[in-house]
Amino acid sequence: MQQGTAGRNPVLVVVSYLVVYLVWGSTYFFIKQSVATIPTFAVLAIRWTVGGVLLLGIAAITGRLRRLPSLRQLAASVVLGLIWLLISNGMITAAERRVDSYIAALLASSSPIVVALFDRVLLRQRLTLVRVLGVVLGFGGVALLLYDGRSLASSLEAPVLLGLLGVLIWGLGTSLGHRFPVSGDNTVNSGVQMLFTGLVSLAITLLAGHRPAGIAAAMSPSSLFGVAYLAVFGSIAFSAFTYLVKHEPAERVVSYALVNPVIALVLGLVVGNESPKPLIAVASPLLLAGLCFML
């Protein structure tokens, strides 16, 4: 369905697509850089607190905070934020301490397939034959991607299972999210989710015995840049995404789900010098084909 064209700027549309493609496609590479010397929950604390403050600041400047969300809407935002940003993203972030960034990105790219399955089970939504084929191809691609050429047991090590669980929880939260009465403003809603999750992550970091001074002393320049990139540019990318949702057709906007994994794959293998899996040449096209059928 064609979105509204009022206030649509063709140059801004192109820039927004580039930002969403490049920033979201590079997210997992910079998560890998961040957790190299920063504790997992400290990465989450910095990323989501800064991101939440930035988004709520944008909402305040643009007048979107004139009508505050109700307590019910705030509670719904907080619960979904904890599911998506603390639990699901936290698991994927922790997994990247030992899992290559491109593997995490390709796993996460299968989330539309997971969402479709949860929608079928929880919401009784019908799966067309084309989408069933997408599910089969997608999960086939994931299975081949994770296979290390030796055995199933060695392929499914604890960090890999943690990343898979994170993707499953993301899909579950997305399906359940349809029933949550969140604020209608995406910027306010996401700002609340990010800020609350960031503060909870900070509390967990401190309770775990990590102190800001110690974290700062052990932090490498690449990790500092990585977490700053996630916090600042991640928020900018979300703003670009909400602009596209308002002014572009939905079937064009979701193209990010196909472009992001490719960018993550190139960054991980070429820039990050990560090791390619034995069946990656078959697995990646199969997973992307599954996404094409889903989208």
Short mmCIF file of all heavy atoms in Angstrom, two decimals, residues 76-77 79-81 83-84 115 118-119 122-123 169-183 189 193:
data_model
loop_
_atom_site.label_atom_id
_atom_site.label_comp_id
_atom_site.label_asym_id
_atom_site.label_seq_id
_atom_site.Cartn_x
_atom_site.Cartn_y
_atom_site.Cartn_z
N ALA A 76 3.39 -1.15 28.71
CA ALA A 76 3.51 -2.04 27.55
C ALA A 76 4.85 -1.83 26.84
O ALA A 76 5.51 -2.79 26.43
CB ALA A 76 2.35 -1.79 26.59
N SER A 77 5.25 -0.56 26.68
CA SER A 77 6.53 -0.25 26.05
C SER A 77 7.70 -0.83 26.83
O SER A 77 8.64 -1.39 26.26
CB SER A 77 6.71 1.26 25.91
OG SER A 77 5.80 1.80 24.98
N VAL A 79 7.70 -3.44 28.93
CA VAL A 79 7.74 -4.91 28.84
C VAL A 79 8.31 -5.36 27.50
O VAL A 79 9.20 -6.22 27.45
CB VAL A 79 6.32 -5.49 29.05
CG1 VAL A 79 6.32 -6.99 28.73
CG2 VAL A 79 5.85 -5.26 30.47
N LEU A 80 7.84 -4.76 26.41
CA LEU A 80 8.35 -5.12 25.09
C LEU A 80 9.82 -4.76 24.96
O LEU A 80 10.61 -5.49 24.35
CB LEU A 80 7.54 -4.43 24.00
CG LEU A 80 6.16 -5.03 23.71
CD1 LEU A 80 5.42 -4.18 22.69
CD2 LEU A 80 6.28 -6.47 23.23
N GLY A 81 10.21 -3.60 25.51
CA GLY A 81 11.61 -3.20 25.48
C GLY A 81 12.51 -4.20 26.18
O GLY A 81 13.60 -4.53 25.70
N ILE A 83 11.87 -7.38 26.60
CA ILE A 83 11.89 -8.62 25.80
C ILE A 83 12.85 -8.46 24.62
O ILE A 83 13.71 -9.33 24.38
CB ILE A 83 10.48 -8.97 25.29
CG1 ILE A 83 9.58 -9.37 26.45
CG2 ILE A 83 10.56 -10.12 24.26
CD1 ILE A 83 8.14 -9.58 26.06
N TRP A 84 12.70 -7.37 23.87
CA TRP A 84 13.48 -7.19 22.66
C TRP A 84 14.93 -6.77 22.93
O TRP A 84 15.87 -7.37 22.42
CB TRP A 84 12.83 -6.12 21.77
CG TRP A 84 11.65 -6.59 21.00
CD1 TRP A 84 11.42 -7.83 20.51
CD2 TRP A 84 10.51 -5.78 20.63
NE1 TRP A 84 10.21 -7.86 19.85
CE2 TRP A 84 9.63 -6.63 19.91
CE3 TRP A 84 10.15 -4.46 20.83
CZ2 TRP A 84 8.42 -6.17 19.39
CZ3 TRP A 84 8.95 -4.01 20.30
CH2 TRP A 84 8.09 -4.85 19.59
N VAL A 115 8.98 -14.96 13.19
CA VAL A 115 7.75 -14.22 13.49
C VAL A 115 6.55 -14.86 12.80
O VAL A 115 5.47 -14.99 13.39
CB VAL A 115 7.89 -12.74 13.05
CG1 VAL A 115 6.55 -12.03 13.15
CG2 VAL A 115 8.92 -12.03 13.92
N PHE A 118 5.47 -17.89 14.80
CA PHE A 118 4.78 -17.52 16.04
C PHE A 118 3.40 -16.92 15.75
O PHE A 118 2.44 -17.15 16.49
CB PHE A 118 5.62 -16.54 16.86
CG PHE A 118 6.67 -17.20 17.71
CD1 PHE A 118 8.01 -16.92 17.52
CD2 PHE A 118 6.31 -18.09 18.70
CE1 PHE A 118 8.98 -17.53 18.31
CE2 PHE A 118 7.27 -18.71 19.50
CZ PHE A 118 8.61 -18.43 19.30
N ASP A 119 3.30 -16.15 14.67
CA ASP A 119 1.99 -15.60 14.27
C ASP A 119 1.01 -16.73 13.96
O ASP A 119 -0.18 -16.63 14.26
CB ASP A 119 2.14 -14.69 13.06
CG ASP A 119 2.69 -13.32 13.42
OD1 ASP A 119 2.77 -13.01 14.62
OD2 ASP A 119 3.03 -12.56 12.50
N LEU A 122 0.43 -18.55 17.65
CA LEU A 122 -0.20 -17.73 18.70
C LEU A 122 -1.40 -16.94 18.22
O LEU A 122 -2.38 -16.78 18.95
CB LEU A 122 0.84 -16.77 19.30
CG LEU A 122 2.07 -17.41 19.95
CD1 LEU A 122 3.02 -16.32 20.43
CD2 LEU A 122 1.66 -18.31 21.11
N LEU A 123 -1.32 -16.42 16.99
CA LEU A 123 -2.38 -15.54 16.48
C LEU A 123 -3.26 -16.22 15.43
O LEU A 123 -4.19 -15.60 14.91
CB LEU A 123 -1.76 -14.27 15.88
CG LEU A 123 -0.81 -13.48 16.80
CD1 LEU A 123 -0.27 -12.26 16.09
CD2 LEU A 123 -1.51 -13.09 18.09
N ILE A 169 13.28 -15.42 20.82
CA ILE A 169 12.61 -14.52 21.76
C ILE A 169 12.21 -13.23 21.06
O ILE A 169 11.14 -12.66 21.33
CB ILE A 169 13.51 -14.25 22.98
CG1 ILE A 169 13.64 -15.53 23.82
CG2 ILE A 169 12.96 -13.11 23.83
CD1 ILE A 169 14.58 -15.42 24.98
N TRP A 170 13.04 -12.75 20.14
CA TRP A 170 12.68 -11.57 19.35
C TRP A 170 11.39 -11.83 18.57
O TRP A 170 10.48 -11.01 18.54
CB TRP A 170 13.81 -11.20 18.40
CG TRP A 170 13.53 -9.94 17.63
CD1 TRP A 170 12.76 -9.80 16.50
CD2 TRP A 170 14.00 -8.63 17.94
NE1 TRP A 170 12.74 -8.50 16.09
CE2 TRP A 170 13.49 -7.75 16.96
CE3 TRP A 170 14.82 -8.11 18.95
CZ2 TRP A 170 13.76 -6.38 16.95
CZ3 TRP A 170 15.09 -6.75 18.94
CH2 TRP A 170 14.56 -5.90 17.96
N GLY A 171 11.32 -13.00 17.93
CA GLY A 171 10.12 -13.36 17.18
C GLY A 171 8.90 -13.48 18.06
O GLY A 171 7.81 -13.02 17.71
N LEU A 172 9.07 -14.07 19.24
CA LEU A 172 7.96 -14.19 20.19
C LEU A 172 7.47 -12.82 20.63
O LEU A 172 6.26 -12.56 20.66
CB LEU A 172 8.41 -15.01 21.40
CG LEU A 172 7.39 -15.15 22.54
CD1 LEU A 172 6.14 -15.87 22.04
CD2 LEU A 172 8.02 -15.89 23.72
N GLY A 173 8.41 -11.94 20.95
CA GLY A 173 8.03 -10.58 21.37
C GLY A 173 7.32 -9.82 20.27
O GLY A 173 6.38 -9.07 20.53
N THR A 174 7.77 -10.02 19.03
CA THR A 174 7.14 -9.34 17.89
C THR A 174 5.70 -9.80 17.71
O THR A 174 4.80 -8.99 17.47
CB THR A 174 7.94 -9.59 16.61
OG1 THR A 174 9.28 -9.11 16.79
CG2 THR A 174 7.32 -8.86 15.43
N SER A 175 5.46 -11.11 17.83
CA SER A 175 4.10 -11.63 17.69
C SER A 175 3.21 -11.15 18.83
O SER A 175 2.08 -10.71 18.61
CB SER A 175 4.12 -13.16 17.66
OG SER A 175 4.67 -13.63 16.45
N LEU A 176 3.73 -11.21 20.05
CA LEU A 176 2.94 -10.76 21.20
C LEU A 176 2.73 -9.26 21.17
O LEU A 176 1.73 -8.75 21.70
CB LEU A 176 3.65 -11.15 22.50
CG LEU A 176 3.74 -12.65 22.80
CD1 LEU A 176 4.55 -12.88 24.08
CD2 LEU A 176 2.36 -13.27 22.94
N GLY A 177 3.67 -8.55 20.54
CA GLY A 177 3.60 -7.08 20.51
C GLY A 177 2.36 -6.55 19.84
O GLY A 177 1.93 -5.42 20.12
N HIS A 178 1.75 -7.34 18.96
CA HIS A 178 0.52 -6.90 18.29
C HIS A 178 -0.60 -6.65 19.29
O HIS A 178 -1.54 -5.92 19.01
CB HIS A 178 0.08 -7.94 17.26
CG HIS A 178 1.04 -8.10 16.12
ND1 HIS A 178 1.42 -7.06 15.30
CD2 HIS A 178 1.72 -9.20 15.67
CE1 HIS A 178 2.28 -7.51 14.39
NE2 HIS A 178 2.48 -8.79 14.59
N ARG A 179 -0.51 -7.29 20.45
CA ARG A 179 -1.58 -7.19 21.45
C ARG A 179 -1.26 -6.20 22.56
O ARG A 179 -2.04 -6.04 23.49
CB ARG A 179 -1.85 -8.57 22.05
CG ARG A 179 -2.32 -9.59 21.01
CD ARG A 179 -2.60 -10.94 21.65
NE ARG A 179 -3.15 -11.88 20.67
CZ ARG A 179 -3.47 -13.14 20.97
NH1 ARG A 179 -3.31 -13.59 22.20
NH2 ARG A 179 -3.96 -13.94 20.03
N PHE A 180 -0.10 -5.56 22.48
CA PHE A 180 0.31 -4.63 23.53
C PHE A 180 -0.14 -3.21 23.17
O PHE A 180 0.12 -2.74 22.06
CB PHE A 180 1.82 -4.66 23.73
CG PHE A 180 2.30 -5.79 24.60
CD1 PHE A 180 2.11 -7.11 24.22
CD2 PHE A 180 2.95 -5.53 25.79
CE1 PHE A 180 2.54 -8.15 25.02
CE2 PHE A 180 3.40 -6.57 26.60
CZ PHE A 180 3.19 -7.88 26.21
N PRO A 181 -0.78 -2.49 24.11
CA PRO A 181 -1.28 -1.13 23.83
C PRO A 181 -0.20 -0.07 23.95
O PRO A 181 -0.24 0.80 24.83
CB PRO A 181 -2.36 -0.95 24.91
CG PRO A 181 -1.83 -1.74 26.07
CD PRO A 181 -1.12 -2.94 25.47
N VAL A 182 0.79 -0.09 23.06
CA VAL A 182 1.90 0.87 23.14
C VAL A 182 1.49 2.20 22.52
O VAL A 182 0.47 2.30 21.83
CB VAL A 182 3.16 0.33 22.44
CG1 VAL A 182 3.65 -0.92 23.13
CG2 VAL A 182 2.88 0.05 20.97
N SER A 183 2.32 3.23 22.74
CA SER A 183 2.08 4.54 22.16
C SER A 183 2.12 4.46 20.64
O SER A 183 2.90 3.70 20.06
CB SER A 183 3.16 5.52 22.65
OG SER A 183 3.13 6.72 21.89
N ASN A 189 7.80 5.74 21.64
CA ASN A 189 7.73 4.36 22.10
C ASN A 189 9.13 3.74 22.19
O ASN A 189 9.51 3.16 23.21
CB ASN A 189 6.85 3.55 21.14
CG ASN A 189 6.65 2.12 21.59
OD1 ASN A 189 6.50 1.86 22.78
ND2 ASN A 189 6.66 1.21 20.66
N GLN A 193 11.47 2.57 25.47
CA GLN A 193 12.02 1.21 25.56
C GLN A 193 13.53 1.24 25.74
O GLN A 193 14.08 0.52 26.58
CB GLN A 193 11.66 0.43 24.29
CG GLN A 193 10.18 0.11 24.16
CD GLN A 193 9.85 -0.55 22.85
OE1 GLN A 193 10.62 -0.49 21.88
NE2 GLN A 193 8.69 -1.18 22.77
#
